[in-house]
Amino acid sequence: MKFGIDRLLADPDLRKPLECKRVALLAHPASVTADLTHSLDALIAAGLDISAMFGPQHGVRGDLQDNMMESPDFTDPHYNIPVFSLYGEVRRPSGQSMGTFDTILIDLQDVGCRIYTFVTTLLYVLEAAAAHGKAVWVLDRPNPAGRPVEGLTLLPGWESFVGAGPMPMRHGMTLGELGHWFVDHFKLDVDYRVIAMDGWAPDAAPGFGWPSERVWINPSPNAANVNMARAYAGTVMLEGTNLSEGRGTTRPLELFGAPDVDAKAVIAAMHRIAPQWLTGCRLRDIWFQPTFHKHAGKLCNGVFIHAEGATYDHAAFKPWRVQALGFKAIRALYPDYDLWRDFPYEYEFDKLAIDVINAGPGLRAWVDDATAQPGDLDAATAPDETAWTDVRRPHLLY
């Protein structure tokens, strides 16, 4: 199969509208061709006039570890072009940076989750392009989490940098497809084009979204593999808790734990409370010691989520429910556990981080209500999931 960048490079007719245009590139370390050439180098070698570059959260170089670690603007030392940060002094492209190009190419590897900030950056670029009369092209890449949909839909008034619009946590679309939905939903008057992939089969084993012949490169420092991408729609919620999500270990966002929990008891409680939510994955109790971040230097007992191997069932795996169940089990075992972390999250200072992550208080309320049952969360969530499946249908390209 071919990703969008590979098709653009292989077909002069696709590149023809970019001739005599100043072209910007929004990219990161995973923006590479099939032979692992970075897209910037490949596009310049193909003869395009790359006049500027933009970087999303974690930077063009992908070097910044955590949320709210900002990247500066700089000049690329090899090509002597400006590099503008969209996670620094600004989140939206400025008028100055918009004046450096005619068309911007977006070549970002996403992981298929609303909270992954490349989704919001795409919307902000589209809105800026509409305001300044610029063209936006997405060089499409796979959604490694595939097509399944899961989670509560963002509520009105809960928009943030981790919530660009009314979609569920796991949206099941590529960035190119999401761009079509953004243009339609927000009624944007913008010249938008997708260079689609050729041969992407999101329902095909064993990748179920990620083609096994392609090398995985971290799109952000803690997105280390496909298992993480599959689990992320659930494990990202750990950022709003006092549990470790594994930052400071070699497998971040694939596990959860703390020094003061009994992982075997948590797993047993998860199986007791909602065994139907655990279909499709395997849970394993582990020990780990983060070298930095939450519980740094402390021995933690935790749960590892395996969405891989022979027992993995892609259609059945529900990462958001699995992690919600982990919280529910901890609340049942330790009713007074200080679960929710109170700190500014993505520049939202007046809301709990767990609520910002879920774009509303519904998940936290379910966890904290001792009488709430798994069926109650299903009943609240299923209509959102069904509605989104219908909403996205006209915008699917594959």
Side-chain angles (χ1 to χ4, degrees), residues 316-329:
F317 181 49
K318 304 292 184 185
W320 185 78
R321 283 170 172 79
V322 169
Q323 191 59 65
L325 182 57
F327 298 152
K328 193 72 167 176

Side-chain angles (χ1 to χ4, degrees), residues 8 16 41 98 140 170 195 208 224 238 294 337 358:
L8 184 70
K16 194 170 185 62
D41 300 318
M98 293 297 291
D140 219 6
R170 190 179 181 191
I195 304 300
F208 299 105
L238 291 157
K294 287 180 275 185
Y337 196 89
N358 279 291

Side-chain angles (χ1 to χ4, degrees), residues 46-319:
L48 295 186
D49 177 15
I50 304 297
S51 58
M53 196 169 180
F54 290 78
Q57 185 182 11
H58 306 291
V60 165
R61 302 183 179 103
D63 54 321
L64 294 176
Q65 167 64 222
D66 203 355
N67 299 321
M68 296 174 66
M69 295 181 68
E70 298 179 347
S71 304
D73 297 344
F74 64 97
T75 300
D76 181 89
H78 185 70
Y79 294 113
N80 198 35
I81 60 174
V83 179
F84 298 103
S85 171
L86 296 180
Y87 198 83
E89 292 185 3
V90 298
R91 299 289 179 275
R92 299 172 181 271
S94 66
Q96 177 186 11
S97 65
M98 293 297 291
T100 62
F101 66 89
D102 304 303
T103 299
I104 184 168
L105 307 181
I106 299 178
D107 187 23
L108 296 175
Q109 179 58 60
D110 188 45
V111 298
C113 186
R114 179 190 66 219
I115 196 173
Y116 209 56
T117 60
F118 304 159
V119 173
T120 307
T121 294
L122 169 62
L123 173 61
Y124 289 178
V125 170
L126 286 168
E127 290 176 332
H132 290 85
K134 306 294 183 175
V136 178
W137 290 22
V138 169
L139 311 183
D140 219 6
R141 290 178 174 268
N143 177 342
R147 286 298 193 203
V149 170
E150 191 187 12
L152 294 166
T153 293
L154 180 144
L155 295 173
W158 285 86
E159 294 83 3
S160 71
F161 197 56
V162 292
M167 68 182 76
M169 182 71 87
R170 190 179 181 191
H171 52 70
M173 300 176 76
T174 68
L175 278 188
E177 293 170 336
L178 274 171
H180 279 301
W181 177 72
F182 281 142
V183 170
D184 178 68
H185 179 78
F186 292 103
K187 309 304 177 190
L188 301 176
D189 182 10
V190 61
D191 181 358
Y192 179 66
R193 184 178 307 194
V194 177
I195 304 300
M197 294 176 283
D198 183 17
W200 186 51
D203 298 320
F208 299 105
W210 185 258
S212 57
E213 69 269 23
R214 293 294 291 245
V215 172
W216 178 268
I217 298 172
N218 293 29
S220 58
N222 292 292
N225 52 53
V226 175
N227 190 62
M228 174 274 177
R230 290 172 176 167
Y232 182 71
T235 57
V236 68
M237 293 192 287
L238 291 157
E239 294 182 353
T241 75
N242 289 310
L243 302 169
S244 171
E245 64 269 23
R247 275 187 168 85
T249 76
T250 58
R251 301 298 293 268
L253 294 159
E254 300 176 72
L255 58 88
F256 65 95
D260 51 354
V261 301
D262 180 338
K264 287 185 177 179
V266 171
I267 292 173
M270 292 172 72
H271 279 279
R272 182 176 67 253
I273 295 167
Q276 69 275 18
W277 288 359
L278 299 177
T279 304
C281 69
R282 296 295 292 270
L283 304 180
R284 177 174 59 95
D285 61 288
I286 60 168
W287 295 92
F288 63 97
Q289 183 171 300
T291 58
F292 59 86
H293 214 263
K294 287 180 275 185
H295 308 303
K298 297 179 181 178
L299 182 62
C300 297
N301 199 196
V303 177
F304 196 100
I305 301 168
H306 288 280
E308 56 192 345
T311 59
Y312 176 61
D313 186 331
H314 185 68
F317 181 49
K318 304 292 184 185

